[in-house]
Amino acid sequence: MELSIIRKEIIGNGQNAVTETENLNKFEIMDGAPVKGECIPIRFYLASTDLTPTFPNVNNRFQCRYFLNLVLIDEEERRYFKQ
């Protein structure tokens, strides 16, 4: 099970928009598949991560958003994603 922090910047608008995606941090929460119904507490510290405020729309030219991406791998090596 992995958890990563992703920064997505969109510069421009319409067909001239350029999207830049950067993976800021990647954490491996546990090795192996969790048991069904198991609750896994997660704590990670953001002091080492270069974060800025989320800018939803600045003059219709710039956006900066952050996402948490969760990847779960089961016993049969299938990967499940949630963002």
Side-chain angles (χ1 to χ4, degrees), residues 5 7 22 24-25 46-52 66:
I5 301 173
R7 175 173 40 213
E22 182 180 0
L24 298 178
N25 263 340
L46 299 176
S48 63
T49 307
D50 183 28
L51 295 176
T52 60
Y66 292 92

Side-chain angles (χ1 to χ4, degrees), residues 25-36:
N25 263 340
K26 189 174 197 177
F27 304 97
E28 185 171 337
I29 298 171
M30 66 181 295
D31 190 22
V35 178
K36 185 175 182 177

Side-chain angles (χ1 to χ4, degrees), residues 1-42:
M1 183 182 304
E2 298 173 352
L3 185 69
S4 58
I5 301 173
I6 300 171
R7 175 173 40 213
K8 184 182 277 188
E9 295 178 353
I10 302 173
I11 303 166
N13 58 2
Q15 293 186 4
N16 297 330
V18 177
T19 302
E20 295 181 12
T21 304
E22 182 180 0
N23 192 348
L24 298 178
N25 263 340
K26 189 174 197 177
F27 304 97
E28 185 171 337
I29 298 171
M30 66 181 295
D31 190 22
V35 178
K36 185 175 182 177
E38 184 178 10
C39 182
I40 303 164
I42 300 170

Side-chain angles (χ1 to χ4, degrees), residues 9-13 16-18 56-63:
E9 295 178 353
I10 302 173
I11 303 166
N13 58 2
N16 297 330
V18 177
N57 194 1
V58 179
N59 293 331
N60 292 331
R61 304 249 180 224
F62 178 74
Q63 294 181 19

